[in-house]
C-alpha cells in the first residue's frame, strides 16, 4: 500500500473504530504528506462515517458508538478548519450554513463548511437547531449570498421548506440550497430551493454556479 493509501485507510479506520487519537495522528500525517483537505475528508474520514451510518441503520451498533464516531470526526475537523481559513486573501461570497431547527445532526454540515472554506468562501457556521428567522438574521448581518440548510430527519425537512418560504416572503435575493441524507433533487424542486447537492464535494460547484 502506498503511503497515501495507508494514511487514508487509517483516517477511515479511525472514525469507524471511534479512535480519536488515531484520527488526530492520521490527520496530521496526511497534512504533512500534502494530501488535500478535500481528500482527507472525502476519501478518509467521510468514508468512515458512511460505514458508521450503514452499521447504525443495520442495528449493528447503537447511539453511543455513533456519538463516539462523530466526536472522532469532529476532533479531526478541528485540526482541518483553521488550516482552511488561515491566510486566506480575498474571500468569495458569504454562505450561511446551518442544520435546521429541531435537528442536531451536524457532521455533514460541518463537512460542507470545511469544503466551502477550503474553496475560499466566507462561511458563517450557524451551528445546529437553526430556525428560518435565525438564518435570515445572520444573512442580513453578514450580507450573505447563499443560505445552506442541512436536515437529516424526515421530520425536519419541513423547516427547509419554511426557510425558502421565509426568504420569498421578505423578497430577499438569498439563494437557498438544501441537503442532508433524506433530501433529494425532487424535494428541492418541490419546495422551490435554488439548489441541492448530494455530497460536500458537489456543494462547491453548486455554490459557484449560484454566485459567480
Ligand atoms: C451520526 C448520527 C447521529 C449523531 C449526530 C452527531 C452530530 N454531532 O451530528 C447522534 C448520535 C447525536 C444522533 C442523534 C439522533 N439521531 Co441520528 N444519525 C446519525 C447517522 C448514523 C449518521 C449521520 C451522519 O453524520 N452522516 C455522515 C455525514 C457526512 O453525511 P450527511 O449528514 O448525509 O451529509 C452529507 C450530505 O448529505 C451533504 N449535506 C449535508 N448537509 C448539507 C447541506 C447542504 C446545503 C448541502 C447542499 C449538502 C449537505 O454533504 C454531506 C457530506 O457529503 C444517521 C444515519 C444515516 N445513515 O444518515 C442517523 C439518523 C439521521 N438519525 C436518526 C435519528 C432518529 C436520531 C435521533 C432522533 C435518535 C434518538 N432516538 O435520539 C437523534 C436526533 C435528535 C435530534 N433532534 O436531532 C435517523 C433519522 C430518521 C428520520 N426520521 O429521518 C437516522 C437516519 C438513523 C436511522 N436510520 O434511524 N444521530
Amino acid at each position: 500500500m502506498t503511503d497515501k493509501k495507508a494514511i487514508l485507510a487509517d483516517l477511515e479506520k479511525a472514525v469507524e473504530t471511534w479512535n480519536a487519537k488515531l484520527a488526530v495522528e492520521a490527520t496530521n500525517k496526511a497534512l504533512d504528506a500534502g494530501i488535500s483537505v478535500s481528500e482527507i475528508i472525502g476519501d478518509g474520514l467521510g468514508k468512515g462515517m458512511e460505514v458508521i451510518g450503514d452499521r447504525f441503520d443495520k442495528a449493528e451498533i447503537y447511539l453511543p458508538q455513533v456519538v463516539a464516531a462523530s466526536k472522532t470526526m469532529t476532533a479531526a475537523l478541528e485540526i482541518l478548519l483553521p488550516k482552511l481559513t488561515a491566510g486566506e486573501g480575498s474571500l468569495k461570497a458569504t454562505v450561511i450554513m446551518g442544520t435546521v431547527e429541531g435537528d442536531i445532526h451536524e457532521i455533514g454540515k460541518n463537512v460542507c463548511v470545511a469544503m466551502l472554506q477550503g474553496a475560499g468562501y466566507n462561511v458563517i457556521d450557524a451551528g445546529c437547531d437553526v430556525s428560518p428567522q435565525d438564518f435570515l438574521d445572520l444573512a442580513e448581518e453578514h450580507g450573505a449570498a447563499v443560505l445552506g440548510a442541512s436536515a437529516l430527519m424526515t421530520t425536519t425537512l419541513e423547516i427547509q421548506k419554511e426557510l425558502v418560504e421565509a426568504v420569498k416572503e421578505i423578497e430577499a435575493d438569498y439563494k437557498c440550497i438544501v441537503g442532508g441524507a433524506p433530501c433529494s433533487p425532487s424535494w428541492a424542486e418541490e419546495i422551490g430551493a435554488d439548489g441541492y447537492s448530494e455530497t460536500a464535494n458537489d456543494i462547491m460547484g453548486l455554490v459557484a454556479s449560484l454566485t459567480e
Side-chain angles (χ1 to χ4, degrees), residues 157 160-161 164-165 168 178 186-193:
L157 276 179
Q160 294 179 330
K161 186 176 173 196
V164 173
E165 285 168 358
K168 286 197 178 127
V178 291
S186 59
W187 170 251
E189 199 185 327
E190 185 185 325
I191 64 174

Side-chain angles (χ1 to χ4, degrees), residues 74-182:
T74 305
L77 288 176
E78 273 169 10
I79 301 173
L80 297 172
L81 281 176
K83 301 261 171 233
L84 288 169
T85 41
E88 282 292 347
S90 65
L91 290 166
K92 296 181 189 168
T94 297
V95 182
I96 312 286
M97 283 294 303
T99 301
V100 298
E101 194 171 8
D103 201 325
I104 59 160
H105 295 91
E106 60 176 346
I107 298 168
K109 182 266 297 166
N110 290 349
V111 174
C112 291
V113 167
M115 295 299 218
L116 288 170
Q117 284 181 333
Y121 290 95
N122 178 31
V123 186
I124 309 297
D125 185 350
C128 53
D129 197 17
V130 185
S131 71
Q133 190 57 50
D134 292 340
F135 270 104
L136 294 184
D137 290 346
L138 284 168
E140 195 185 351
E141 185 186 338
H142 296 279
V146 178
L147 312 184
S150 180
L152 260 289
M153 298 193 290
T154 44
T155 45
T156 54
L157 276 179
E158 195 58 28
I159 308 291
Q160 294 179 330
K161 186 176 173 196
E162 287 177 20
L163 174 64
V164 173
E165 285 168 358
V167 169
K168 286 197 178 127
E169 203 173 304
I170 61 164
E171 295 177 5
D173 55 7
Y174 310 129
K175 304 285 184 202
C176 289
I177 59 170
V178 291

